[in-house]
Amino acid sequence: MDRDDLEPSDPTDEGRRGRLAAWTTLARRNRTLGVTALVAALALVAGLVLGRFVLVPDDAGAGTPEPGLVTAPVVLGQLSNDVTIRGEVAYADPVEVTVDTSTLSGPAVVTGQVPEVGTELGPLSVALELAGRPVIVLPGELPAYRTLRVGVSGPDVVQFKEAMRAVGLDAGDPASNLFDGTAAAAIGSLYAQAGYPAPAGDEGAAEAVAAAEEAVTSAQQGLTAAQAALTAAQAGPGPVEVRTADNAVASAQRALDAALATDPGDTATIGDLRDALALAQLQRQQLGAPRSATEERAAVAGAQQQVGQAQDALAQARQDALPALPAGEVLYLTQLPRRVDATELRRGAVLEGAAMTVSGATLGLSGTVAAADARLLTPGQTATFDLPGGGEQAATITAVTAGTDAEDRWTVELEPAPLTPEQITALQGANVRVQIPVGATEGDVLSVPLAALSAGPGGESRVEVVDGDPRDGDRAGTRLVTVDTGLAADGAVEVTPTGGELDEGDLVVVGR
């Protein structure tokens, strides 16, 4: 096919479209040929390069000098065997803080300043203010789940008493799980420490106390009157009563005698006077007779019962007026102080869900390690980790926890030594290398690579020390030094010369 066949002389658009179709057909037919040509060209270039720069074995051997000895220096220093892990740096034990808002009469509006991220919450700190009321931090593990008032009992009461004792306030003996008057009275002291008034009692409680006090006063007055009547009844007639009765008898007698003397026949008058005399005499006799005072005693007993009932009602009224501790105004947290890690709340917002996230106030390190290495680690061991800006920082293992399954990696928890604020800022959220020595020499020792050791005819360990130039290969002068071996770590081993001299910086053979 020649070019004229592919390029018609027609200059119109139809002619140009025809030429394009023809070239497309040609390219499709010769695709395989083009790929083959490209591969051939690449192979030719590669052959030229290899022929220019790569020597065949005979040529290479002709230009290669005799190899020297492979050596390493004897090192003087402390040798340690380390377990190395990667550790995540974060504040320990993060938890979400939730507040019980069920006791609020309206929406849980944040009315106080929300603690900023980084703020430490300690005992008696106010974590939050909702609807004008504080949320006071106390040490404890059990969440507040109900209002504590006089008469309730349970483990939450014990926790409250223990927490109050921890902050120096007396809420009663924690051995008793009853929330009594002593516990209720301590609420006022708690809120005074936080700078807020104690929660108000039930509505109308103060009026009930006043009414109960008046009832007690009235009952006590009635008892006093009844006791006075009983005393009077038990004492008998007084001199005035006796004299009055004697006078009445004498007067009746004189009136009768006078009537008999003047008009003995007036039987009606004389009869009335005789009756009057008899009545006066009977009244005088009754004054001398003992009295039972039964009614007076019954009145006293009734009055005493009324006083007791009034006093019980007053005690109940006063108990009802004692402050209670709403569940939404106390926040129990362990391992105080705690650090505020995050919060989305703002003043004027309505609390919904978690209020904030808090964690331990100190940074912690956490990493994982294989079970075989974990068995070399115990709490209390020291470690070091890399600082972001360079250098190392000490740390102490606080816990080594096994995985769920035998094949799982173990978790290692560490506590860093005190850090500066700048270091804390740089480390938070970082992933660092942690080295934990599990064996170390006492002071500086001589050490050589493990490859430098060889066995003598008697099974003793020895190293070959180079006295000449290692580049001379087998012609270099060397000597054998027998050694005792010690701790092996990181490819090196502690050696102590027992036959021959061995010093820091000597070169020992590790390969030929």
Side-chain angles (χ1 to χ4, degrees):
M1 181 181 296
D2 56 25
R3 182 177 183 86
D4 292 338
D5 294 333
L6 297 177
E7 296 186 9
S9 59
D10 185 358
T12 64
D13 291 342
E14 182 178 355
R16 285 193 293 272
R17 286 196 295 272
R19 288 195 299 273
L20 179 61
W23 279 110
T24 303
T25 303
L26 180 60
R28 187 181 299 113
R29 291 176 180 175
N30 292 279
R31 181 180 300 167
T32 303
L33 179 60
V35 172
T36 303
L38 178 60
V39 172
L42 292 175
L44 176 60
V45 173
L48 292 174
V49 172
L50 291 173
R52 173 67 179 85
F53 295 102
V54 179
L55 298 175
V56 296
D58 290 343
D59 293 339
T64 303
E66 180 182 352
L69 298 175
V70 181
T71 62
V74 177
V75 177
L76 177 65
Q78 188 177 37
L79 192 63
S80 64
N81 190 12
D82 299 339
V83 172
T84 302
I85 63 174
R86 301 298 301 184
E88 296 288 340
V89 184
Y91 285 95
D93 192 21
V95 294
E96 284 191 338
V97 172
T98 57
V99 179
D100 182 1
T101 60
S102 60
T103 57
L104 296 178
S105 58
V109 179
V110 180
T111 53
Q113 184 65 42
V114 178
E116 297 180 355
V117 172
T119 301
E120 285 194 3
L121 300 178
L124 300 178
S125 294
V126 176
L128 204 61
E129 184 184 281
L130 298 176
R133 299 300 300 166
V135 179
I136 304 173
V137 177
L138 288 176
E141 297 181 357
L142 187 65
Y145 59 89
R146 62 173 175 174
T147 296
L148 295 182
R149 61 179 73 253
V150 173
V152 303
S153 60
D156 52 343
V157 176
V158 174
Q159 176 174 263
F160 171 75
K161 292 182 177 181
E162 290 175 343
M164 295 294 280
R165 177 169 291 186
V167 298
L169 301 175
D170 181 21
D173 187 1
S176 169
N177 69 350
L178 177 65
F179 197 88
D180 53 13
T182 302
I187 294 177
S189 301
L190 171 64
Y191 279 80
Q193 292 276 3
Y196 284 81
D202 295 337
E203 185 177 356
E207 292 78 3
V209 170
E213 289 174 342
E214 291 180 1
V216 169
T217 300
S218 177
Q220 288 175 337
Q221 290 174 346
L223 175 60
T224 300
Q227 288 174 333
L230 175 61
T231 300
Q234 292 175 334
V240 175
E241 290 179 295
V242 171
R243 184 60 183 224
T244 300
D246 288 342
N247 289 342
V249 171
S251 177
Q253 184 65 53
R254 285 193 295 271
L256 177 59
D257 291 342
L260 289 173
T262 56
D263 191 5
D266 189 357
T267 58
T269 300
I270 292 174
D272 291 338
L273 292 175
R274 290 186 186 277
D275 292 339
L277 175 62
L279 177 59
Q281 290 173 338
L282 180 60
Q283 290 175 338
R284 176 62 184 86
Q285 291 174 358
Q286 286 182 340
L287 286 178
R291 301 177 63 179
S292 65
T294 301
E295 293 181 0
E296 288 79 2
R297 290 192 179 92
V300 169
Q304 289 174 334
Q305 184 177 6
Q306 289 180 350
V307 169
Q309 292 173 346
Q311 289 174 336
D312 290 343
L314 175 60
Q316 184 62 49
R318 287 174 174 171
Q319 178 175 296
D320 294 340
L322 287 173
L325 183 63
E329 296 190 13
V330 63
L331 174 62
Y332 291 102
L333 293 174
T334 59
Q335 299 176 1
L336 293 175
R338 287 278 185 160
R339 179 184 183 275
V340 177
D341 283 345
T343 180
E344 299 296 329
L345 290 180
R346 295 293 181 270
R347 191 172 185 179
V350 176
L351 173 62
E352 295 178 351
M356 64 187 71
T357 300
V358 300
S359 62
T362 57
L363 281 178
L365 270 172
S366 177
T368 62
V369 65
D373 290 335
R375 294 185 179 92
L376 302 174
L377 308 180
T378 57
Q381 282 181 294
T382 58
T384 59
F385 63 94
D386 297 336
L387 292 172
E392 293 182 339
Q393 181 76 2
T396 303
I397 295 178
T398 57
V400 182
T401 308
T404 304
D405 299 324
E407 297 80 10
D408 290 346
R409 293 175 67 83
W410 291 41
T411 300
V412 182
E413 302 285 345
L414 303 99
E415 180 181 347
L419 297 160
T420 65
E422 294 76 15
Q423 289 173 329
I424 291 175
T425 301
L427 279 168
Q428 188 177 1
N431 182 284
V432 297
R433 183 174 66 100
V434 183
Q435 289 184 294
I436 309 169
V438 294
T441 59
E442 295 183 1
D444 295 339
V445 297
L446 294 175
S447 63
V448 298
L450 286 168
L453 291 178
S454 62
E460 70 277 10
S461 297
R462 61 187 185 179
V463 295
E464 185 177 1
V465 181
V466 181
D467 290 329
D469 189 343
R471 293 174 294 182
D472 293 339
D474 289 337
R475 297 191 305 276
T478 63
R479 54 188 171 86
L480 294 175
V481 178
T482 58
V483 295
D484 285 339
T485 59
L487 177 69
D490 296 330
V493 60
E494 175 188 0
V495 293
T496 303
T498 57
E501 295 184 359
L502 187 67
D503 295 314
E504 178 186 9
D506 286 347
L507 297 179
V508 293
V509 178
V510 295
R512 296 180 182 275

